[in-house]
Amino acid sequence: MMRLHKVYQRLSLLHFLPISLPSNPSLLPLSPPYRRITTNFTSITSMGASRFGTIAPLSAMLTEDGGGGNSNASVSSFTTTVDYEEDSNMGVVYRVPPPEIKDIVDAPPVPALSFSPHRDKILFLKRRSLPPLAELARPEEKLAGIRIDGNCNTRSRMSFYTGIGIHRILSDGTLGPEIEVHGFPDGAKINFVSWSPNGQHLSFGIRLNEENNESSKVRIWIADVETGNARPLFQSPDIYLNAVFDNYVWVDNSNLLVCTIPLSRGAPPKKPLVPSGPKIQSNEAKNIIQVRTFQDLLKDEYDEVLFDYYATSQLILASLDDQKYLLISSIHRPYSFIVPCGRFPKKVELWSADGKFVRELCDLPLAEDIPIASNSVRKGMRTINWRADKPSMLYWVETQDGGDAKVEVSPRDIIYTQPAETLEGEQPVILHKLDLRYGRTRTWVISPGSKDVSPRILFDRSSEDVYSDPGSPMLRRTQAGTYVIAKVKKGSDEGRYFLLNGIGATPEGNIPFLDLFEINTGNKERIWESDKEKYYETVVALMSDQEEGDLHLDQLKILTSKESKTENTQYFIVTWPDKKAYQITNFPHPYPQLASLQKEMIRYQRKDGVQLTATLYLPPGYNPSADGPLPCLVWSYPGEFKSKDAAGQVRGSPNEFPGIGPTSALLWLARSCVNFEMAGFFFDYFKSCRFAILSGPTIPIIGEGDEEANDRYVEQLVASAEAAVEEVVQRGVAHPKKIAVGGHSYGAFMTANLLAHAPHLFCCGIARSGAYNRTLTPFGFQNEDRTLWEATNTYVEMSPFMSANKIKKPILLIHGEEDNNSGTLTMQSDRFFNALKGHGALCRLVVLPYESHGYAARESIMHVLWETDRWLHKYCVSNTSDEGEDHDTGTVKENENVGKETKDSESKVVSASGGGCTEASLKYEGHHAMPRSSLW
């Protein structure tokens, strides 16, 4: 249970959490992102990490990012019978959506890229498609908020790479021939890929698919970059990686520090048949402890023993320079049954590289009492690390408000710095003091080596105001492997320049830029900007940081990405002074059948004057005036704001390539991509399958001044939805009676609320992995910091569970059986379904075995798509009903409860119908099942 750091290099080992900030600016994930995540934070100086929106860690990703499947079939219509009729005699099995959807999901992903430290070579990290369900079904231990694969002694559900190709970047920007890394066993699963500091070697973990538990553990391998030859790092077959927390780090160009499974460890402890006593929790000291609904916590003494077993590491240190230090953090008992391991007692120590203890930096107690208010933290030292700009120098932060963000105090945080070795009585030096204010981002200029130079505010703006974002300083890699601000020289000018890389948010959409910024005067010069007419381009990384010293503007070299509405992302190297761009990738279009889809960023206004935006997608070849309105799927996710102006700002770009993930709503654009060489009535049916997709319509929930946003949640939610629906109907692209709404997580919560409070807008809904009863999350959710007892009416009124009797439109609920997300435990969908069924609502609940908050297995994802496609065609495409009416009889049947339940070992599906929507269907051999109403 250790975390390792080394002086001279900021060796923060990677943690495989559900959401993490980029930690390796050299890796480019080239598959389309399933959703973008923006993290706002306060930076004390520009020493912080630069915002590279397309950068991710080299290490293994969670399986929510994909892996599995092997279909390369082209799109073909009429190859699979899609039967949407219920057949109780067949039981419940995993189903597959129509081939035009399935083939997009099964398409092989493009590789991830990683550049060498000297920017002269590039790795192509090869990936597979979706993993089989059997991989998710592997046994896992759920301990202290994490899930562990006991056979591998890693986090469970890791994806992996299948191969590594090395290319040299030639002087003309093209790539040399591939050198394949070889020498490891066939079928090996590759994780934790890392360059040595000098770029001459690669290191990576290898797992095998053998039945022997020991052989499935991870071994570290080393490869020579010039030849591709790979070999195990350790000759002993008994040394395996323990990757539950950290894995390994490069100490220098030829040595690594590795967290291994202790050689003395025996078999896993067995659970006693009879417990030693009852489970007791006590608060006799009357402490105020408020925690959110964390999942996978320790339950008893046996879990504590098991956690010790899997999480304890033995450090193996090879040939380190004894003039360096190691920073080691560990967690220890007493553990907790109500918070995850990130809040367990934590000790941070300084050791010499030859294994001698130097001193203890801190020993933090169990932190069960961190307030639920946003930006609250644990007490004591935190963010302890090495400074990137000075060897053997530590820094850390200490809160001055007791960890409670609601306490008004100045300063709120103090940043300290101190050498690794201190003289007797030497105290830490204050590096900077911070007053963190809600909704503001401040960037300071400080001089760590000059006590006489006062800190100076460089930028001060609202974090919600994207239009005023000046960009983030670009970082360069040092010879020590750390990343610092890239200083730039402009000819003979003696000014102090650095580069600001920004998203360039404007009312016309994002136009990314690169500014040359003079730190003393604040003057800016725009030296690069995205093509705003057709393309969306971004600056990804510096490519001219191989040498020490300042960068010269006329020798600047950057890596950019370039995409358009119809052209997928490619990567270019741009050189100064001529700014010539050299294309270095040529990835094929991931779904050529949708190459001519229509995309438009639209703007409209809510009735209270708030400006809203959305992205409207229309199928290839569609003409509103000739073809008429289409069924429409609205897919969104609400957001909270403190001002109407910020809520109305445009985010995103109309020129971005439409990335389509495995469960994306955009997959239904492909439902128009069929072979129309059939009889006329078949043509009419398939023509009716086409969809318009309204993706990400902004649903701002605004609380200005002292008002809390959620106090008017339902009102603002409905107003935003009304404006979106009115816009697509007025444009003539959406049929007013054939508009479906859907979302995942908080988007599912939104969907259920809209069906309850705005049934006039939508014909049906699809809600995936949501939370519907806020009394089950009593100590806050999303950005709601108040408790249930402080804002009872808000919790109740926001909960669609409390309005289950109002939901008359068909709703499809989907949930992973092993959901580990805080607040969205599977019970939420179970209880909501029962509430709906108890009021005769037309509803269906699909529970996916082994799936977590995001769905990963190919069988599960294909079935989710089949269920969604069935729901849309049954209750959207074929909808002719009026608000609140039964689809067959035109009467509301609230009290009739005609339901059926089926379950087998593969999946769980429960349906209930308040009167039903019984359709007669024609089954045509080798073709899709078609509703009778679409034929005659």
Side-chain angles (χ1 to χ4, degrees):
M1 293 176 288
M2 296 179 179
R3 295 177 183 172
L4 314 176
H5 312 265
K6 186 187 72 69
V7 90
Y8 305 144
Q9 303 181 30
R10 191 188 305 192
L11 297 181
S12 300
L13 294 182
L14 305 177
H15 303 266
F16 305 107
L17 303 177
I19 297 178
S20 62
L21 290 175
S23 61
N24 189 334
S26 63
L27 179 69
L28 315 176
L30 298 184
S31 60
Y34 302 158
R35 81 172 185 188
R36 297 181 182 271
I37 299 172
T38 302
T39 302
N40 293 322
F41 55 93
T42 298
S43 174
I44 62 159
T45 74
S46 47
M47 289 168 55
S50 177
R51 259 198 324 261
F52 295 137
T54 57
I55 294 173
L58 255 178
S59 52
M61 298 167 289
L62 296 176
T63 44
E64 276 72 28
D65 293 335
N70 54 11
S71 173
N72 294 319
S74 60
V75 171
S76 171
S77 303
F78 315 127
T79 57
T80 304
T81 299
V82 180
D83 180 8
Y84 289 142
E85 285 303 292
E86 298 282 357
D87 188 342
S88 58
N89 294 325
M90 291 179 60
V92 179
V93 295
Y94 285 102
R95 309 299 289 269
V96 176
E100 58 265 29
I101 291 177
K102 177 184 75 69
D103 290 344
I104 292 177
V105 178
D106 270 342
V110 297
L113 301 185
S114 172
F115 290 89
S116 67
H118 296 308
R119 306 295 194 256
D120 60 339
K121 298 181 182 68
I122 183 173
L123 299 184
F124 278 53
L125 301 167
K126 301 168 187 180
R127 302 185 285 192
R128 60 174 186 170
S129 296
L130 300 173
L133 186 63
E135 290 194 9
L136 271 66
R138 289 169 58 95
E140 59 183 359
E141 303 291 345
K142 302 173 184 178
L143 302 168
I146 61 176
R147 295 182 176 182
I148 299 171
D149 184 328
N151 287 339
C152 300
N153 221 104
T154 65
R155 297 291 178 95
S156 61
R157 307 180 178 218
M158 290 195 309
S159 65
F160 56 87
Y161 302 114
T162 59
I164 304 174
I166 307 171
H167 293 267
R168 183 177 296 276
I169 301 175
L170 305 179
S171 57
D172 61 356
T174 60
L175 300 182
E178 181 178 85
I179 299 173
E180 184 178 2
V181 176
H182 58 278
F184 49 79
D186 292 339
K189 299 176 180 179
I190 303 171
N191 294 99
F192 316 126
V193 182
S194 180
W195 291 91
S196 65
N198 61 8
Q200 294 181 6
H201 292 89
L202 291 175
S203 55
F204 48 92
I206 288 290
R207 289 179 289 152
L208 300 178
N209 263 333
E210 298 179 15
E211 293 296 325
N212 185 323
N213 289 343
E214 290 301 312
S215 64
S216 67
K217 292 182 172 61
V218 183
R219 299 189 68 189
I220 298 298
W221 284 60
I222 301 293
D224 183 277
V225 170
E226 295 298 326
T227 65
N229 292 331
R231 61 175 178 80
L233 174 63
F234 300 109
Q235 295 303 312
S236 170
D238 299 323
I239 300 178
Y240 296 103
L241 189 71
N242 185 343
V244 169
F245 284 104
D246 296 321
N247 42 76
Y248 69 90
V249 292
W250 282 94
V251 175
D252 53 30
N253 290 326
S254 57
N255 300 289
L256 297 93
L257 180 65
V258 186
C259 293
T260 67
I261 298 172
L263 291 173
S264 59
R265 192 180 78 173
K270 294 183 178 180
K271 188 171 185 176
L273 295 177
V274 179
S276 59
K279 300 176 183 178
I280 298 174
Q281 297 185 58
S282 176
N283 191 33
E284 295 182 46
K286 298 196 293 186
N287 296 318
I288 297 176
I289 298 175
Q290 301 176 349
V291 295
R292 296 202 174 188
T293 49
F294 297 115
Q295 306 298 307
D296 303 334
L297 301 176
L298 298 178
K299 299 179 294 296
D300 51 31
E301 184 178 348
Y302 172 70
D303 275 0
E304 292 181 306
V305 173
L306 208 58
F307 182 66
D308 282 338
Y309 177 84
Y310 287 114
T312 301
S313 291
Q314 176 180 338
L315 299 181
I316 294 185
L317 190 63
S319 303
L320 287 177
D321 186 336
D322 60 8
Q323 296 178 357
K324 297 184 176 68
Y325 299 94
L326 301 173
L327 193 61
I328 299 178
S329 11
S330 59
I331 58 178
H332 59 81
R333 295 181 181 238
Y335 299 150
S336 170
F337 296 154
I338 64 172
V339 295
C341 57
R343 297 190 180 188
F344 286 3
K346 176 182 176 181
K347 182 183 294 185
V348 182
E349 298 174 333
L350 191 65
W351 289 67
S352 66
D354 58 359
K356 295 180 181 178
F357 173 78
V358 177
R359 62 187 173 107
E360 180 183 289
L361 296 178
C362 68
D363 190 355
L364 304 178
L366 178 66
E368 290 183 330
D369 58 348
I370 298 177
I372 62 173
S374 297
N375 297 320
S376 294
V377 296
R378 74 189 302 166
K379 302 171 186 176
M381 298 171 67
R382 68 182 199 277
T383 320
I384 306 171
N385 217 320
W386 301 107
R387 278 174 47 178
D389 62 325
K390 191 172 183 180
S392 304
M393 185 66 70
L394 294 162
Y395 75 90
W396 67 88
V397 184
E398 292 188 35
T399 181
Q400 306 300 301
D401 57 15
D404 190 347
K406 290 183 177 180
V407 173
E408 292 296 332
V409 64
S410 177
R412 187 173 295 277
D413 269 347
I414 296 180
I415 303 168
Y416 295 94
T417 185
Q418 190 178 50
E421 285 200 72
T422 59
L423 301 176
E424 185 176 352
E426 182 179 358
Q427 297 299 311
V429 174
I430 294 177
L431 186 64
H432 193 57
K433 297 179 180 180
L434 287 173
D435 290 330
L436 302 181
R437 298 301 182 199
Y438 179 84
R440 301 207 67 79
T441 297
R442 289 179 179 172
T443 303
W444 296 77
V445 177
I446 63 174
S447 179
S450 303
K451 296 181 181 179
D452 298 334
V453 178
S454 300
R456 173 167 57 93
I457 293 178
L458 194 61
F459 306 121
D460 187 0
R461 66 184 186 88
S462 168
S463 60
E464 292 183 342
D465 182 9
V466 293
Y467 290 172
S468 67
D469 187 353
S472 297
M474 293 205 73
L475 304 181
R476 61 168 298 170
R477 189 180 186 278
T478 69
Q479 294 295 316
T482 62
Y483 285 86
V484 298
I485 296 172
K487 293 185 291 183
V488 178
K489 289 189 68 68
K490 182 185 178 183
S492 59
D493 192 332
E494 296 299 324
R496 302 174 65 193
Y497 292 95
F498 61 84
L499 300 169
L500 288 176
N501 182 14
I503 61 171
T506 74
E508 287 71 44
N510 291 349
I511 306 173
F513 63 83
L514 189 64
D515 279 352
L516 187 66
F517 182 80
E518 213 291 321
I519 195 169
N520 291 321
T521 65
N523 294 333
K524 297 180 185 178
E525 176 187 350
R526 187 138 300 177
I527 62 174
W528 180 92
E529 188 175 68
S530 172
D531 176 353
K532 56 188 174 185
E533 298 302 323
K534 179 181 178 181
Y535 291 100
Y536 178 72
E537 302 169 283
T538 61
V539 176
V540 178
L542 280 174
M543 299 294 286
S544 52
D545 61 345
Q546 303 98 321
E547 304 296 332
E548 290 288 342
D550 293 348
L551 305 178
H552 292 269
L553 181 60
D554 59 357
Q555 298 176 9
L556 189 64
K557 185 186 297 184
I558 60 174
L559 180 74
T560 67
S561 65
K562 185 176 182 178
E563 60 195 85
S564 73
K565 296 177 184 179
T566 57
E567 299 172 63
N568 55 302
T569 303
Q570 304 294 351
Y571 288 84
F572 295 76
I573 292 179
V574 180
T575 60
W576 266 252
D578 58 358
K579 300 181 185 178
K580 185 175 181 179
Y582 301 90
Q583 184 172 342
I584 63 170
T585 62
N586 188 25
F587 296 113
H589 197 294
Y591 18 89
Q593 60 272 47
L594 290 178
S596 59
L597 64 80
Q598 305 173 58
K599 175 187 177 183
E600 180 183 0
M601 180 178 284
I602 63 175
R603 303 173 202 174
Y604 48 98
Q605 185 171 291
R606 204 164 73 178
K607 62 184 179 182
D608 60 359
V610 176
Q611 296 296 315
L612 305 177
T613 59
T615 304
L616 176 63
Y617 293 91
L618 299 172
Y622 169 72
N623 185 327
S625 59
D627 300 333
L630 298 174
C632 179
L633 174 58
V634 178
W635 199 270
S636 192
Y637 192 97
E640 292 88 358
F641 294 88
K642 288 299 291 183
S643 75
K644 291 182 179 179
D645 289 342
Q649 291 184 348
V650 176
R651 292 162 172 82
S653 167
N655 296 325
E656 288 180 88
F657 182 73
I660 302 180
T663 57
S664 170
L666 301 189
L667 287 166
W668 275 268
L669 292 168
R671 284 297 261 140
S672 62
C673 300
V674 296
N675 185 345
F676 292 128
E677 297 175 1
M678 300 296 293
F681 58 82
F682 286 104
F683 177 86
D684 290 339
Y685 168 72
F686 284 111
K687 185 176 177 181
S688 73
C689 287
R690 297 198 288 184
F691 278 87
I693 308 295
L694 192 66
S695 177
T698 49
I699 311 283
I701 310 300
I702 305 166
E704 293 187 303
D706 294 332
E707 180 186 36
E708 296 290 341
N710 286 335
D711 289 343
R712 294 196 300 120
Y713 173 86
V714 172
E715 173 190 339
Q716 297 189 65
L717 178 72
V718 172
S720 297
E722 285 177 337
V725 168
E726 180 180 356
E727 179 67 21
V728 291
V729 170
Q730 285 184 347
R731 284 172 170 261
V733 298
H735 191 296
K737 289 187 178 181
K738 298 184 178 183
I739 301 178
V741 63
H744 186 92
S745 194
Y746 208 51
F749 177 74
M750 169 205 75
T751 297
N753 265 310
L754 285 173
L755 293 187
H757 302 292
H760 59 292
L761 297 177
F762 303 104
C763 61
C764 65
I766 299 123
R768 300 175 183 167
S769 299
Y772 309 103
N773 184 352
R774 285 305 168 196
T775 68
L776 297 178
T777 56
F779 290 107
F781 57 90
Q782 290 294 110
N783 290 326
E784 179 56 69
D785 292 337
R786 297 169 297 176
T787 70
L788 168 64
W789 299 271
E790 294 170 324
T792 305
N793 290 340
T794 298
Y795 273 66
V796 171
E797 291 170 4
M798 286 183 69
S799 298
F801 179 86
M802 304 301 180
S803 299
N805 61 318
K806 298 179 181 179
I807 296 180
K808 310 300 180 186
K809 296 297 178 68
I811 182 169
L812 172 64
L813 304 174
I814 301 175
H815 217 121
E817 193 169 37
E818 304 294 332
D819 195 325
N820 64 342
N821 186 55
S822 175
T824 58
L825 57 165
T826 311
M827 176 180 65
Q828 289 271 8
S829 285
D830 288 332
R831 293 187 176 181
F832 187 43
F833 174 77
N834 287 331
L836 292 168
K837 188 169 64 172
H839 289 89
L842 197 164
C843 52
R844 182 176 174 93
L845 170 63
V846 180
V847 178
L848 304 170
Y850 303 113
E851 293 291 352
S852 185
H853 190 61
Y855 316 140
R858 183 179 185 274
E859 294 93 329
S860 302
I861 287 174
M862 290 299 180
H863 190 84
V864 166
L865 298 177
W866 181 88
E867 292 279 358
T868 304
D869 193 64
R870 171 187 178 273
W871 206 253
L872 290 174
H873 281 77
K874 200 167 185 180
Y875 303 116
C876 182
V877 173
S878 303
N879 179 55
T880 58
S881 67
D882 292 324
E883 176 190 344
E885 292 182 343
D886 178 81
H887 284 68
D888 287 329
T889 65
T891 59
V892 178
K893 299 184 178 181
E894 294 188 29
N895 297 321
E896 182 175 352
N897 181 17
V898 181
K900 52 186 174 182
E901 299 184 10
T902 50
K903 178 174 68 174
D904 71 357
S905 60
E906 293 187 69
S907 61
K908 300 178 183 178
V909 179
V910 187
S911 298
S913 171
C917 181
T918 311
E919 294 180 344
S921 294
L922 170 67
K923 298 181 182 178
Y924 190 84
E925 183 61 28
H927 301 77
H928 299 277
M930 290 162 279
R932 184 180 298 273
S933 59
S934 299
L935 299 174
W936 298 281

